[in-house]
């Protein structure tokens, strides 16, 4: 027997299609059913790669008695937070307000009008210290609904009043002093031993690292450089990074990046690929030829290869995530014990690999198993390549984690931008080709007709794109323009920007996360904080700045300034939640630089231009005769590839020697 979710496009919702719970998807029909029955709504929000979502599903939603009680007393709605970030944003804010914390699975109980009056995250099937059983929670909520309706209505009204208010996190334009102060705050919060910021659990701080890279490029602050290097290296050498095939897991449960939650998200790997690429070019700009530059380049190549090998879909886009679990346990695909290494490698290589990869008898993870770490470079690189190939061969025989094949526009945008830049800078035409193919899928399937956030198997969803999708896709289209000499991407980027400016503006000059021509929710969300992925406003700032750099459109630049100012108070007061906004502010402070390369695409001058560390520089290459405004009146000198470094379309003397660009 299956429920309504069997017809859903979302892989996460289909995971619940055989639950005995009578699940609904979010929509007017479900809310009308709750009103007809005069029952509360139980809203459960999660995503396909969420480990604890799977745990709660197995313990409670697959249990016939629990499901029967839910069906009798609630209208039960399942939401994929990746597909509907707007719904997630509204009810996560309520959850955080009511409980002081958030996370997934998120469990909210609502009136038939959608007003939350109870919220939490994971609930166990049996009571534990400080946590009631899920069945006890349900019974208490039903009692309150049936016997204390006035209290429920009052509580829901108070939460609604809170949701209707917006924290004023804006401020004045961010000055150089503001940016330097934010960097000092981050340095003060850095873990000087283990890298990263704060205590465990530790999430990869890709957006903060991008800001710090840009701040260091402007100031040369060595404390910032040390914090960045320590963090980049620790993440890449620990168990959170897949030492065999590349790619980063979602986060580390410990300070030292040893043990991750093993799900791998597209947005993490795309943003980290770009950050490591920029660290690599900064190391090169310093003349560094030590182990860090080799590490940075390796991580870039391996992470790009991971995206193509593990997440690329048949249609040319990139899937959302890989699950953490396989064979009923988290991390089974990735972890090892000494016996398994001995069986795979033989005595000599196994003993060497045990030491190299920090595999212990007791295990660094659980069940006597260890994550693979590469805390120092192998003393025999050829031996390591042989060992790695053999371990990959053995691992390929294990049950692979499931993949969420859903294509999310914003996350594909981040991947496209990272792959386009990496492809040029590391001379990997295959990466540029993959970026272009994914961008074409977004244009052909997502943007027209009517911009949607997700697709699956070449079929569009009905879910409207949010602000983050617009910003990330604008920047991606400009990146493909820069890497391919195809002017169609300029028109496509303009099209998406025009829609963003027309439909997401707030009355006070800020930005809503949802468009004004989409179905209204309880409140219209607007969140300027950069969390797991960039805020809509900060993503839009990056996209508009890139487009303004190649068009000279001052209205686009002014809108980007508005995006940054909408989060200026957050950026100065809590910079850990504004890394992408701060990175955009650094680009604004520098111009950003507009670099036109005339006479070649993908050659030495193009790579030299992308190798510059100027904050947020936008690089576009053409073979001459481009209609892109940045190239107006600029030509190749004496038939040689020529670079023009400009700010606000005012250019320095042209350069024909790639080495001469390093003086910029």
């Amino acid at each position: 027997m299956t429920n309504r979710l069997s017809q859903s496009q979302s892989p996460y919702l289909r995971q619940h299609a055989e639950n005995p719970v009578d699940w609904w998807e979010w929509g007017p029909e479900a809310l009308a059913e709750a009103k007809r029955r005069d029952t509360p709504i139980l809203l459960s929000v999660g995503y396909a790669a969420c480990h604890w979502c799977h745990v709660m599903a197995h313990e409670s939603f697959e249990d016939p008695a629990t499901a029967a009680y839910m069906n009798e007393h609630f209208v039960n709605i399942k939401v994929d937070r990746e597909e509907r970030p707007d719904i997630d944003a509204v009810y996560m804010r309520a959850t955080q307000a009511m409980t002081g914390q958030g996370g997934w699975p998120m469990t909210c109980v609502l009136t038939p009008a959608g007003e939350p009056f109870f919220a939490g995250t994971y609930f166990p099937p049996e009571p534990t210290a400080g946590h009631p059983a899920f069945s006890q929670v349900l019974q208490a909520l039903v009692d309150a609904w049936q016997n204390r309706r006035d209290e429920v209505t009052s509580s829901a009204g108070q939460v609604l009043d809170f949701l209707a208010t917006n924290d004023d996190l804006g401020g004045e334009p961010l000055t150089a002093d503001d940016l330097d102060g934010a960097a000092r705050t981050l340095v003060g919060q850095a873990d000087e031993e283990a890298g990263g910021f704060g205590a465990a659990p530790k999430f990869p701080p890709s957006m903060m690292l991008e800001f710090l890279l840009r701040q260091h490029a402007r100031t040369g602050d060595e404390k910032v450089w040390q914090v960045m290097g320590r963090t980049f290296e620790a993440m890449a050498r620990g168990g959170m990074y897949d030492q065999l095939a590349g790619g980063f897991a979602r986060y580390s449960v410990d300070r030292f990046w040893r043990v991750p939650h093993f799900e791998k998200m597209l947005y993490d790997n795309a943003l980290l690929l770009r950050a490591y690429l920029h660290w690599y070019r900064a190391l090169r700009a310093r003349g560094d030829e030590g182990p860090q530059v080799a590490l940075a380049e390796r991580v870039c190549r391996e992470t790009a290869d991971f995206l193509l090998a593990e997440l690329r879909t048949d249609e040319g886009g990139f899937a959302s995530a890989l699950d953490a679990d396989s064979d009923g346990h988290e991390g089974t695909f990735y972890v090892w014990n000494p016996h398994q290494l001995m069986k795979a490698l033989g005595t000599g290589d196994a003993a060497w690999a045990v030491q190299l990869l920090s595999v212990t008898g007791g295990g660094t993870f659980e069940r006597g198993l260890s994550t693979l770490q590469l805390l120092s470079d192998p003393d025999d690189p050829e031996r390591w390549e042989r060992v790695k190939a053999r371990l990959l061969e053995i691992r390929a025989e294990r049950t692979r984690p499931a993949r969420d094949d859903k294509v999310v526009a914003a996350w594909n945008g981040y991947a496209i931008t990272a792959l386009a830049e990496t492809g040029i800078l590391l001379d990997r035409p295959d990466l540029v080709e993959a970026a272009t193919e994914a961008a074409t899928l977004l244009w052909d399937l997502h943007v027209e007709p009517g911009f949607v956030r997700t697709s699956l198997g070449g079929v569009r969803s009905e879910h409207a794109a949010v602000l983050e999708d617009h910003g990330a896709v604008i920047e991606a289209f400009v990146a493909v323009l820069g890497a391919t000499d195809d002017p169609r991407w300029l028109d496509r980027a303009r099209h998406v920007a025009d829609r963003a400016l027309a439909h997401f503006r707030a009355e006070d000059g800020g930005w809503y996360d949802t468009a004004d021509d989409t179905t209204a929710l309880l409140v219209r969300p607007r969140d300027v904080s950069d969390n797991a992925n960039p805020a809509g406003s900060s993503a839009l700032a990056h996209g508009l700045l890139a487009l303004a750099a190649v068009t000279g459109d001052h209205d686009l630049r002014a809108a980007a300034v508005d995006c940054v100012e909408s989060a200026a108070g957050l950026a100065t007061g809590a910079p850990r939640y504004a890394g992408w906004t701060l990175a955009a502010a650094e680009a604004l402070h520098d111009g950003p630089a507009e670099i036109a390369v005339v006479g070649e695409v993908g050659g030495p001058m193009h790579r030299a231009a992308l190798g510059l560390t100027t904050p947020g520089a936008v690089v576009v290459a053409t073979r001459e005769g481009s209609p892109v405004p940045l190239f107006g009146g600029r030509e190749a000198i004496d038939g040689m590839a020529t670079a023009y470094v400009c700010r606000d379309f005012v250019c320095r003397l042209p350069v024909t020697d790639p080495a001469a660009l390093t003086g910029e």
Side-chain angles (χ1 to χ4, degrees):
M1 297 293 292
T2 58
N3 56 45
R4 294 176 189 84
L5 301 187
S6 63
Q7 303 303 311
S8 173
Q9 191 186 62
S10 163
Y12 171 63
L13 298 190
R14 289 207 306 269
Q15 288 176 354
H16 296 269
E18 296 184 5
N19 293 169
V21 177
D22 185 22
W23 290 114
W24 294 72
E25 289 195 58
W26 182 275
E29 297 85 0
L31 274 65
E33 177 68 4
K35 184 176 181 179
R36 183 188 71 78
R37 290 175 50 189
D38 190 32
T39 58
I41 294 167
L42 190 145
L43 173 66
S44 177
V45 182
Y47 58 99
C50 168
H51 172 70
W52 286 103
C53 299
H54 297 320
V55 171
M56 189 168 177
H58 176 68
E59 294 173 340
S60 297
F61 303 147
E62 295 174 10
D63 176 63
T66 302
Y69 192 85
M70 293 170 63
N71 294 339
E72 181 179 356
H73 295 288
F74 300 88
V75 168
N76 304 290
I77 299 179
K78 254 296 175 191
V79 167
D80 181 344
R81 67 168 290 262
E82 299 173 349
E83 188 176 63
R84 294 299 305 268
D86 51 344
I87 296 172
D88 179 64
V90 170
Y91 293 103
M92 182 59 74
R93 188 164 183 243
T95 300
Q96 291 169 334
M98 286 189 272
T99 69
Q101 59 186 8
W104 300 277
M106 177 171 62
T107 307
C108 293
V109 182
L110 325 175
T111 69
E115 302 160 339
F117 61 89
F118 174 85
T121 53
Y122 164 78
F123 290 99
E126 302 294 337
T128 61
H131 297 282
F134 186 50
S135 59
Q136 294 174 319
V137 172
L138 297 178
Q139 291 163 13
L141 289 165
V142 169
D143 178 70
W145 181 258
Q146 294 177 347
N147 301 312
R148 300 189 304 280
R149 184 74 64 92
D150 289 346
E151 294 178 21
V152 169
T153 303
S154 175
S155 176
Q158 292 174 11
V159 175
L160 181 58
D161 288 343
F162 169 77
L163 293 176
T165 63
N166 284 296
D167 297 330
D168 184 7
L169 298 174
E172 298 298 318
L174 292 172
T175 65
D177 287 344
D178 292 330
L179 298 173
D180 295 344
R184 285 193 299 271
T185 297
L186 292 175
V187 168
Q189 295 171 343
D191 185 331
E192 295 186 0
E193 181 183 7
F197 302 90
K202 281 185 174 173
F203 292 80
S206 54
M207 290 169 273
M208 284 184 279
L209 290 169
E210 182 64 35
F211 160 59
L212 292 176
L213 280 162
R214 295 181 180 194
Q215 196 270 350
H216 176 266
R218 175 173 57 82
T219 67
D221 189 322
E222 281 301 305
K223 289 184 179 178
V224 167
W225 181 258
Q226 291 165 11
V227 165
M228 288 190 302
R230 185 184 307 117
T231 301
F232 276 123
E233 184 160 5
M235 290 194 301
R237 292 195 180 280
M240 196 183 74
Y241 183 71
D242 185 348
Q243 304 296 344
L244 299 184
F248 290 87
R250 179 68 196 95
Y251 65 91
S252 173
V253 301
D254 64 282
R255 276 182 63 203
F256 293 92
W257 313 97
R258 291 186 187 119
V259 178
H261 263 312
F262 288 87
E263 62 264 32
K264 289 181 176 179
M265 314 303 295
L266 173 60
Y267 57 80
D268 280 325
N269 283 282
L271 292 167
L272 284 166
L273 170 57
R274 195 175 180 194
Y276 273 90
L277 184 72
H278 293 173
W279 183 45
Y280 165 75
R281 73 183 184 186
L283 287 162
R284 292 286 301 271
R286 287 167 66 97
D288 193 323
E289 297 183 0
Q292 282 192 330
V293 72
L295 175 67
E297 183 177 7
R298 175 172 68 83
V299 169
C300 290
R301 293 188 183 279
E302 290 176 351
T303 303
D305 288 339
F306 160 75
L307 290 175
L308 269 60
E310 300 287 343
L311 293 183
R312 201 174 187 191
T313 68
D314 291 342
E315 296 74 35
F318 293 92
S320 296
L322 298 179
D323 274 9
D325 302 6
S326 56
D327 291 334
H329 293 283
E330 184 182 5
T332 302
F333 185 72
Y334 301 102
V335 293
W336 302 77
N337 62 31
H339 174 73
Q340 291 170 330
L341 293 179
M342 182 76 70
K343 185 177 179 181
L345 301 172
T347 304
D349 281 346
W352 182 76
V354 161
Q355 295 297 317
L356 178 68
L357 299 170
S358 301
V359 176
T360 69
T364 58
F365 176 46
E366 55 188 39
R367 308 189 311 278
L369 296 161
S370 295
T371 61
L372 302 186
Q373 303 174 72
L374 199 61
L375 302 180
S376 60
D377 291 329
D379 57 12
D380 186 340
E382 291 184 4
R383 188 181 193 184
W384 166 235
E385 290 302 317
R386 186 177 70 249
V387 164
K388 184 167 66 171
R390 177 58 179 158
L391 293 181
L392 280 170
E393 183 181 337
I394 296 297
R395 196 173 80 172
E397 299 172 0
R398 297 176 174 178
T399 302
R400 300 187 66 82
R403 188 174 83 170
D404 182 342
D405 283 334
K406 176 176 75 267
V407 172
V408 176
W411 306 353
N412 272 256
Y414 302 137
I416 290 162
T417 301
L419 289 170
E421 289 188 13
T422 305
I424 297 298
L425 193 55
L426 299 188
D427 197 15
R428 286 280 303 271
D430 60 316
L431 302 184
V432 176
E433 181 181 351
T436 305
E437 187 174 348
T440 301
L441 177 73
L442 291 185
W443 175 256
D444 289 344
L445 189 64
H446 284 243
V447 177
E448 287 296 323
F451 196 173
V452 297
R453 176 169 172 82
T454 61
S455 67
L456 183 73
V459 179
R460 290 161 50 92
S461 75
E462 298 178 352
H463 305 302
V466 296
L467 185 63
E468 182 198 6
D469 298 310
H470 287 70
V473 169
I474 294 166
E475 187 174 25
F477 286 177
V478 174
V480 175
L481 167 71
T484 64
D485 188 31
D486 185 344
R488 290 179 299 174
W489 294 108
L490 175 61
D491 295 332
R492 293 169 178 180
R494 282 184 184 272
H495 174 85
V496 178
D498 287 345
R499 171 164 171 75
L501 297 177
H503 293 287
F504 290 87
R505 283 271 198 182
E507 299 80 4
D508 59 8
W511 303 86
Y512 287 107
D513 290 321
T514 55
D516 59 11
D517 58 353
T518 56
T519 303
L521 297 173
L522 189 64
V523 295
R524 194 175 174 193
R526 51 185 302 187
D527 184 0
V528 299
S529 57
D530 299 315
N531 288 301
N533 40 287
S537 55
S538 61
L540 185 62
H542 285 258
L544 293 178
L545 278 175
L547 185 55
V550 297
T551 61
D553 189 323
H554 289 281
D555 290 338
L556 295 176
R557 179 184 171 82
V561 170
D562 290 342
C563 289
V564 171
E565 290 182 5
S566 72
L570 180 67
T572 54
R576 283 177 65 180
Y577 298 95
W580 212 232
T581 292
L582 287 161
E586 283 286 359
L588 274 167
H589 185 76
D590 191 67
E594 310 136 2
I595 305 175
V597 177
V598 187
E600 70 170 30
V601 177
M605 185 66 81
H606 197 176
R607 287 195 292 276
L610 269 172
L612 296 177
T613 61
T614 50
V618 178
V619 179
V620 183
T622 183
R623 294 177 180 84
E624 285 197 291
S626 172
V628 176
L630 179 59
F631 290 94
R634 299 182 179 102
E635 57 187 22
I637 296 175
D638 296 331
M640 296 185 291
T642 305
Y644 295 80
V645 179
C646 316
R647 285 175 176 80
D648 198 18
F649 277 51
V650 177
C651 303
R652 295 186 177 186
L653 291 174
V655 174
T656 56
D657 179 6
L661 274 179
T662 59
E664 162 60 14

